[in-house]
């Protein structure tokens, strides 16, 4: 039938039982040509003891930047005499196409579906309880990213800043849930922890460049340096702590590395009322105070001193042995 459609003036392409026919020219002439081709296709199918579905799955759309009022009234005549008005959108192999071919509807639809999937994952792990971080991360990679990435090679060049922001928000939700991080935790730190890219690298070079060159970049990198995060952290956390330890431990590690968590200094910084912002010893409760200074934790701190006699924060928070010892310290301290 494809060869016949070409002879009738159309350009066919398809996949299994999905057939698409296009014609070029003026809208009124194109519509008449499509009506003629469709009638011939139905006759061709009838002669071979089959038929073409003319129901709701039959899509009809004009791709043009300037649709005149009179063109909107041009209707497609089906072989059964029924008139079909042109649609604003059609779906082709899972890709939503509109008149302008700007893929805006498709992108927003995929973002909304991805957000729903993230919302479902959200219930599987909180800050203290739930599935292990490695399991939640696997769910995100397997169930959320494919939704967003589908057809990316076709539409990525049409993505706008507002849509990029929505993609960032969706991924940020997932990143925080994976490691049990607080909402104020800098996203750049979590991205380094998990090495999760939201979209295929080869198709998103422009998006990456725009994101990392934004005004947020300097602020993010300053926080990253302050938190002493390095690229090695991805192997440490995802490879060891996320698979071995509970969500509670993973969340606490994230809090200690970023300073955003259940500490008096954090509550004070964000103006959250609390009976006291101080440690039991009377000093302001910070990560540095808990790990290095608090006199009430000398016994629990012995393991940390074996790793770094000088109690160097960079060594403790930025080495595999240091993080493993901090896991033991947190268990003793929290209990």
């Amino acid at each position: 039938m494809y060869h016949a459609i070409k002879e009738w003036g159309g350009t066919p392409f398809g996949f299994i039982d999905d057939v698409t026919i296009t014609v070029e020219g003026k809208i009124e002439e194109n519509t008449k040509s499509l009506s003629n081709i469709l009638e011939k296709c139905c006759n061709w199918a009838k002669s071979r003891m089959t038929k073409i579905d003319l129901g709701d799955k039959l899509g009809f759309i004009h791709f043009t930047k300037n649709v005149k009022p009179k063109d909107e009234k041009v209707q497609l005549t089906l072989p059964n005499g029924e008139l079909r008005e042109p649609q604003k959108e059609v779906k082709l192999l899972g890709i939503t196409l509109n008149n302008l071919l700007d893929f805006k509807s498709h992108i927003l639809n995929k973002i909304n579906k991805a957000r729903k999937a993230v919302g479902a994952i959200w219930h599987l792990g909180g800050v203290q309880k739930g599935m292990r971080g490695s399991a939640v991360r696997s769910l995100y990679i397997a169930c959320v990213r494919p939704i967003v990435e589908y057809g990316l090679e076709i539409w990525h060049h049409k993505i706008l800043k507002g849509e990029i922001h929505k993609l960032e928000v969706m991924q940020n939700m997932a990143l925080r849930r994976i490691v049990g991080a607080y909402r104020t935790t800098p996203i750049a730190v979590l991205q380094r922890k998990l090495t999760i890219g939201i979209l295929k690298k080869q198709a998103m070079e422009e998006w990456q460049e725009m994101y990392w060159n934004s005004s947020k970049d300097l602020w993010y990198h300053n926080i990253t340096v302050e938190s002493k995060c390095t690229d090695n952290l991805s192997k440490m956390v995802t490879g060891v702590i996320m698979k071995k330890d509970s969500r509670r431990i993973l969340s606490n590690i994230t809090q200690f590395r970023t300073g955003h968590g259940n500490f008096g200094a954090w509550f004070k910084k964000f103006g959250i009322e609390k009976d006291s912002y101080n440690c039991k010893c009377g000093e302001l409760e910070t990560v540095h105070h808990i790990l290095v200074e608090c006199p009430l934790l000398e016994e629990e701190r012995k393991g940390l001193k074996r790793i770094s006699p000088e109690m160097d924060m960079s060594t403790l928070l930025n080495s595999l042995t240091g993080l493993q010892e901090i896991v033991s310290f947190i268990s003793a301290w929290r209990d």
Side-chain angles (χ1 to χ4, degrees):
M1 186 175 71
Y2 281 18
H3 295 292
I5 292 174
K6 291 180 181 179
E7 294 176 359
W8 299 332
T11 302
F13 58 92
F15 180 75
I16 306 179
D17 61 342
D18 284 321
V19 181
T20 301
I21 303 172
T22 64
V23 292
E24 297 181 12
K26 295 182 179 180
I27 289 180
E28 189 172 353
E29 295 175 357
N30 288 343
T31 305
K32 291 180 180 179
S33 296
L34 285 173
S35 296
N36 182 47
I37 293 172
L38 187 57
E39 182 177 3
K40 291 181 178 180
C41 287
C42 288
N43 292 334
W44 180 93
K46 186 177 181 180
S47 66
R48 288 159 177 79
M49 305 301 291
T50 185
K51 66 177 182 178
I52 294 176
D53 185 3
L54 301 177
D56 295 335
K57 290 186 177 181
L58 177 66
F60 170 50
I61 189 171
H62 300 304
F63 295 124
T64 177
K65 292 183 178 180
N66 300 309
V67 180
K68 299 178 181 179
K70 66 174 184 178
D71 294 331
E72 293 180 350
K73 299 179 181 179
V74 177
Q75 297 177 316
L76 179 70
T77 303
L78 303 183
N80 58 9
E82 179 186 343
L83 297 178
R84 184 68 58 88
E85 294 184 355
Q87 300 168 235
K88 299 293 185 181
E89 297 177 352
V90 295
K91 184 170 285 189
L92 177 61
L93 298 179
I95 304 293
T96 303
L97 307 175
N98 60 10
N99 298 90
L100 301 177
L101 286 177
D102 58 10
F103 299 100
K104 186 173 183 179
S105 299
H106 175 81
I107 295 171
L108 293 178
N109 181 44
K110 292 301 179 182
I111 291 174
N112 290 334
K113 285 187 176 181
R115 285 178 64 90
K116 289 181 180 179
V118 171
I121 294 175
W122 189 266
H123 297 288
L124 300 178
V127 174
Q128 297 293 332
K129 298 180 180 180
M131 297 176 64
R132 293 184 186 275
S134 57
V136 180
R137 180 178 182 270
S138 296
L139 280 174
Y140 171 74
I141 293 174
C143 301
V144 179
R145 280 180 51 178
I147 295 175
V148 181
E149 291 180 353
Y150 181 77
L152 185 65
E153 294 82 357
I154 298 174
W155 56 261
H156 80 276
H157 62 287
K158 291 288 188 177
I159 194 167
L160 303 176
K161 286 186 178 180
E163 292 152 0
I164 291 175
H165 174 69
K166 291 179 180 179
L167 285 171
E168 290 175 2
V169 171
M170 182 275 296
Q171 174 166 266
N172 295 349
M173 288 174 58
L175 291 175
R176 290 191 174 99
R177 183 53 57 179
I178 290 170
V179 295
Y182 279 44
R183 290 181 62 184
T184 59
T185 305
I187 292 302
V189 176
L190 300 184
Q191 288 173 333
R192 282 175 175 248
K193 277 176 177 277
L194 300 172
T195 59
I196 289 179
I198 186 170
L199 302 171
K200 297 176 183 176
K201 184 177 179 181
Q202 65 272 22
M204 290 302 292
E205 292 178 353
E206 294 179 7
W207 179 79
Q208 294 284 2
E209 183 179 357
M210 183 185 303
Y211 179 75
W212 288 112
N213 290 335
S214 67
S215 58
K216 298 178 181 179
D217 182 54
L218 181 60
W219 182 71
Y220 278 165
H221 279 288
N222 286 341
I223 292 179
T224 302
V225 172
E226 180 182 336
S227 301
K228 297 183 174 61
C229 293
T230 70
D231 294 331
N232 293 330
L233 183 60
S234 61
K235 295 181 180 179
M236 298 175 192
V237 175
T238 59
V240 180
I241 297 174
M242 287 183 69
K243 294 180 180 179
K244 177 183 175 183
D245 295 294
S246 67
R247 167 162 292 277
R248 174 173 172 269
I249 291 296
L250 175 61
S251 176
N252 284 326
I253 282 290
T254 303
Q255 293 175 43
F256 268 82
R257 288 190 56 82
T258 63
H260 290 250
N262 190 21
F263 310 113
W266 180 83
F267 288 105
K268 184 177 181 180
K269 178 180 179 180
F270 289 96
I272 301 174
E273 293 187 6
K274 198 179 181 185
D275 293 338
S276 175
Y277 299 120
N278 295 335
C279 176
K280 292 181 180 179
C281 68
E283 297 294 327
L284 180 64
E285 188 180 51
T286 64
V287 173
H288 187 272
H289 174 77
I290 294 169
L291 291 179
V292 180
E293 299 172 346
C294 182
L296 302 180
L297 298 174
E298 283 296 331
E299 185 66 26
E300 292 83 351
R301 199 175 287 125
K302 289 181 178 180
L304 299 178
K305 289 184 176 180
R306 286 196 296 269
I307 302 300
S308 175
E310 301 83 10
M311 294 298 290
D312 177 59
M313 293 283 283
S314 179
T315 302
L316 295 175
L317 293 174
N318 214 26
S319 67
L320 180 56
T321 53
L323 284 175
Q324 289 174 329
E325 195 58 50
I326 283 181
V327 169
S328 301
F329 173 83
I330 290 174
S331 298
W333 170 61
R334 290 294 191 192
D335 294 339

